Amino acid sequence: KQETYAVLCMQSDGGIGKNNELLFKRSEIPNDMGRFVEKRKNHVLFMGRLTYESVPIKYRRMEGTIVVVITKDKDYQVEE
């Protein structure tokens, strides 16, 4: 049996961002990036291109994690 999980931060009205910005500042949730890194270990992670590009470079790739970037741009290449 394979399980699927979704993790997101959402306002009570369903909003997840505005003008390519998160609805909160990372400084408001100091352990957010650490939790993100821990929860994605040994999983497949799907995210949109803008979200992927907003993640600090040192957190974009992790051993044991497959990252799938979703975009309409057929020529998009993830930088190594």
Side-chain angles (χ1 to χ4, degrees), residues 25-51:
K25 302 289 183 216
R26 285 197 176 114
S27 61
E28 295 173 9
I29 308 174
N31 297 324
D32 184 51
M33 190 55 69
R35 181 171 167 75
F36 171 71
V37 169
E38 180 63 33
K39 290 296 182 183
R40 71 182 233 192
K41 284 182 181 175
N42 302 313
H43 289 85
V44 177
L45 178 66
F46 292 85
M47 64 176 73
R49 178 186 58 84
L50 295 175
T51 300

Short mmCIF file of all heavy atoms in Angstrom, two decimals, residues 25-51:
data_model
loop_
_atom_site.label_atom_id
_atom_site.label_comp_id
_atom_site.label_asym_id
_atom_site.label_seq_id
_atom_site.Cartn_x
_atom_site.Cartn_y
_atom_site.Cartn_z
N LYS A 25 6.01 35.65 6.58
CA LYS A 25 7.46 35.75 6.45
C LYS A 25 8.09 34.55 7.14
O LYS A 25 7.63 34.11 8.18
CB LYS A 25 7.97 37.05 7.11
CG LYS A 25 7.37 38.30 6.54
CD LYS A 25 7.88 38.55 5.15
CE LYS A 25 7.32 39.85 4.62
NZ LYS A 25 7.04 39.82 3.22
N ARG A 26 9.15 34.02 6.53
CA ARG A 26 9.81 32.86 7.14
C ARG A 26 10.28 33.17 8.55
O ARG A 26 10.34 32.29 9.39
CB ARG A 26 10.98 32.40 6.27
CG ARG A 26 10.50 31.68 5.04
CD ARG A 26 11.62 30.88 4.41
NE ARG A 26 11.07 30.13 3.30
CZ ARG A 26 11.40 30.33 2.04
NH1 ARG A 26 12.31 31.23 1.73
NH2 ARG A 26 10.85 29.62 1.08
N SER A 27 10.62 34.44 8.81
CA SER A 27 11.08 34.80 10.16
C SER A 27 9.97 34.65 11.19
O SER A 27 10.23 34.53 12.38
CB SER A 27 11.62 36.23 10.17
OG SER A 27 10.59 37.14 9.79
N GLU A 28 8.70 34.63 10.74
CA GLU A 28 7.58 34.47 11.65
C GLU A 28 7.44 33.01 12.12
O GLU A 28 6.81 32.74 13.13
CB GLU A 28 6.27 34.91 10.99
CG GLU A 28 6.23 36.39 10.68
CD GLU A 28 5.01 36.77 9.86
OE1 GLU A 28 4.11 35.95 9.68
OE2 GLU A 28 4.96 37.92 9.40
N ILE A 29 8.00 32.09 11.34
CA ILE A 29 7.94 30.67 11.67
C ILE A 29 9.37 30.14 11.60
O ILE A 29 9.79 29.56 10.60
CB ILE A 29 7.02 29.91 10.69
CG1 ILE A 29 5.65 30.59 10.62
CG2 ILE A 29 6.88 28.46 11.12
CD1 ILE A 29 4.73 30.00 9.59
N PRO A 30 10.16 30.35 12.66
CA PRO A 30 11.60 30.07 12.60
C PRO A 30 11.97 28.63 12.29
O PRO A 30 13.00 28.38 11.69
CB PRO A 30 12.10 30.50 13.98
CG PRO A 30 10.90 30.56 14.84
CD PRO A 30 9.74 30.85 13.94
N ASN A 31 11.16 27.65 12.67
CA ASN A 31 11.50 26.25 12.42
C ASN A 31 10.89 25.70 11.15
O ASN A 31 10.97 24.50 10.89
CB ASN A 31 11.08 25.40 13.62
CG ASN A 31 11.81 25.78 14.88
OD1 ASN A 31 13.00 26.14 14.83
ND2 ASN A 31 11.13 25.74 16.00
N ASP A 32 10.28 26.55 10.34
CA ASP A 32 9.57 26.10 9.15
C ASP A 32 10.48 25.36 8.17
O ASP A 32 10.13 24.29 7.70
CB ASP A 32 8.91 27.30 8.45
CG ASP A 32 8.07 26.88 7.27
OD1 ASP A 32 7.22 25.98 7.43
OD2 ASP A 32 8.25 27.45 6.19
N MET A 33 11.65 25.90 7.84
CA MET A 33 12.52 25.26 6.86
C MET A 33 13.07 23.93 7.40
O MET A 33 13.15 22.95 6.66
CB MET A 33 13.67 26.18 6.45
CG MET A 33 14.47 25.67 5.26
SD MET A 33 13.50 25.30 3.77
CE MET A 33 13.00 26.92 3.25
N GLY A 34 13.39 23.87 8.67
CA GLY A 34 13.85 22.62 9.25
C GLY A 34 12.78 21.54 9.18
O GLY A 34 13.06 20.38 8.86
N ARG A 35 11.54 21.91 9.46
CA ARG A 35 10.43 20.95 9.37
C ARG A 35 10.23 20.51 7.93
O ARG A 35 10.02 19.34 7.65
CB ARG A 35 9.16 21.57 9.92
CG ARG A 35 7.97 20.64 9.88
CD ARG A 35 6.79 21.24 10.65
NE ARG A 35 5.56 20.55 10.39
CZ ARG A 35 5.22 19.36 10.87
NH1 ARG A 35 6.06 18.73 11.65
NH2 ARG A 35 4.06 18.81 10.59
N PHE A 36 10.31 21.45 6.99
CA PHE A 36 10.18 21.15 5.57
C PHE A 36 11.24 20.12 5.15
O PHE A 36 10.93 19.13 4.50
CB PHE A 36 10.33 22.45 4.76
CG PHE A 36 10.43 22.26 3.29
CD1 PHE A 36 9.34 21.87 2.54
CD2 PHE A 36 11.63 22.50 2.63
CE1 PHE A 36 9.43 21.70 1.17
CE2 PHE A 36 11.73 22.34 1.26
CZ PHE A 36 10.63 21.94 0.54
N VAL A 37 12.47 20.34 5.55
CA VAL A 37 13.57 19.44 5.20
C VAL A 37 13.33 18.06 5.81
O VAL A 37 13.47 17.03 5.14
CB VAL A 37 14.93 20.02 5.65
CG1 VAL A 37 16.03 18.98 5.55
CG2 VAL A 37 15.27 21.25 4.83
N GLU A 38 12.94 18.01 7.06
CA GLU A 38 12.73 16.73 7.74
C GLU A 38 11.58 15.94 7.12
O GLU A 38 11.69 14.74 6.89
CB GLU A 38 12.44 16.98 9.23
CG GLU A 38 12.21 15.72 10.03
CD GLU A 38 13.41 14.80 10.07
OE1 GLU A 38 14.55 15.28 10.05
OE2 GLU A 38 13.20 13.57 10.10
N LYS A 39 10.48 16.60 6.80
CA LYS A 39 9.29 15.92 6.28
C LYS A 39 9.48 15.40 4.87
O LYS A 39 8.79 14.48 4.45
CB LYS A 39 8.08 16.84 6.33
CG LYS A 39 7.59 17.12 7.72
CD LYS A 39 7.09 15.83 8.35
CE LYS A 39 6.55 16.06 9.73
NZ LYS A 39 6.14 14.82 10.36
N ARG A 40 10.39 15.97 4.10
CA ARG A 40 10.53 15.54 2.71
C ARG A 40 11.58 14.45 2.52
O ARG A 40 11.71 13.92 1.42
CB ARG A 40 10.81 16.72 1.80
CG ARG A 40 12.19 17.31 1.97
CD ARG A 40 12.36 18.49 1.09
NE ARG A 40 13.56 18.34 0.29
CZ ARG A 40 14.11 19.30 -0.41
NH1 ARG A 40 13.55 20.47 -0.46
NH2 ARG A 40 15.18 19.08 -1.11
N LYS A 41 12.30 14.10 3.56
CA LYS A 41 13.34 13.07 3.43
C LYS A 41 12.74 11.77 2.93
O LYS A 41 11.70 11.32 3.42
CB LYS A 41 14.03 12.82 4.78
CG LYS A 41 15.01 13.90 5.16
CD LYS A 41 15.68 13.54 6.47
CE LYS A 41 16.64 14.63 6.88
NZ LYS A 41 17.23 14.37 8.19
N ASN A 42 13.43 11.17 1.94
CA ASN A 42 13.03 9.88 1.38
C ASN A 42 11.62 9.87 0.79
O ASN A 42 10.92 8.87 0.87
CB ASN A 42 13.18 8.77 2.43
CG ASN A 42 14.61 8.68 2.93
OD1 ASN A 42 15.55 8.67 2.15
ND2 ASN A 42 14.77 8.64 4.24
N HIS A 43 11.23 11.00 0.21
CA HIS A 43 9.93 11.11 -0.44
C HIS A 43 10.10 11.76 -1.82
O HIS A 43 11.14 12.34 -2.13
CB HIS A 43 8.97 11.97 0.39
CG HIS A 43 8.52 11.30 1.64
ND1 HIS A 43 9.25 11.33 2.80
CD2 HIS A 43 7.42 10.57 1.90
CE1 HIS A 43 8.62 10.65 3.73
NE2 HIS A 43 7.50 10.18 3.22
N VAL A 44 9.05 11.69 -2.60
CA VAL A 44 8.97 12.44 -3.86
C VAL A 44 8.26 13.74 -3.52
O VAL A 44 7.21 13.74 -2.87
CB VAL A 44 8.19 11.66 -4.93
CG1 VAL A 44 8.08 12.49 -6.21
CG2 VAL A 44 8.86 10.33 -5.23
N LEU A 45 8.82 14.85 -3.96
CA LEU A 45 8.28 16.17 -3.65
C LEU A 45 7.90 16.87 -4.95
O LEU A 45 8.74 17.05 -5.83
CB LEU A 45 9.34 16.99 -2.89
CG LEU A 45 8.99 18.41 -2.51
CD1 LEU A 45 7.85 18.41 -1.50
CD2 LEU A 45 10.20 19.10 -1.93
N PHE A 46 6.64 17.25 -5.08
CA PHE A 46 6.16 17.99 -6.24
C PHE A 46 5.98 19.44 -5.83
O PHE A 46 5.41 19.72 -4.77
CB PHE A 46 4.79 17.46 -6.70
CG PHE A 46 4.84 16.07 -7.27
CD1 PHE A 46 4.77 14.97 -6.44
CD2 PHE A 46 4.97 15.89 -8.63
CE1 PHE A 46 4.81 13.69 -6.96
CE2 PHE A 46 5.01 14.62 -9.16
CZ PHE A 46 4.93 13.51 -8.32
N MET A 47 6.46 20.36 -6.67
CA MET A 47 6.23 21.78 -6.40
C MET A 47 6.27 22.55 -7.71
O MET A 47 6.89 22.13 -8.68
CB MET A 47 7.23 22.34 -5.39
CG MET A 47 8.68 22.35 -5.83
SD MET A 47 9.78 23.15 -4.64
CE MET A 47 9.83 21.95 -3.36
N GLY A 48 5.59 23.67 -7.72
CA GLY A 48 5.61 24.55 -8.87
C GLY A 48 6.97 25.21 -9.04
O GLY A 48 7.77 25.28 -8.09
N ARG A 49 7.23 25.70 -10.22
CA ARG A 49 8.53 26.31 -10.53
C ARG A 49 8.84 27.48 -9.61
O ARG A 49 9.95 27.60 -9.08
CB ARG A 49 8.58 26.77 -11.99
CG ARG A 49 9.90 27.46 -12.34
CD ARG A 49 9.88 28.05 -13.73
NE ARG A 49 8.82 29.00 -13.95
CZ ARG A 49 8.88 30.30 -13.62
NH1 ARG A 49 9.95 30.79 -13.03
NH2 ARG A 49 7.87 31.11 -13.86
N LEU A 50 7.88 28.38 -9.41
CA LEU A 50 8.14 29.55 -8.58
C LEU A 50 8.41 29.16 -7.14
O LEU A 50 9.27 29.74 -6.47
CB LEU A 50 6.99 30.55 -8.68
CG LEU A 50 6.79 31.18 -10.06
CD1 LEU A 50 5.55 32.06 -10.06
CD2 LEU A 50 8.01 31.97 -10.48
N THR A 51 7.70 28.17 -6.65
CA THR A 51 7.96 27.68 -5.29
C THR A 51 9.36 27.08 -5.21
O THR A 51 10.12 27.38 -4.29
CB THR A 51 6.91 26.64 -4.87
OG1 THR A 51 5.62 27.26 -4.91
CG2 THR A 51 7.19 26.10 -3.48
#
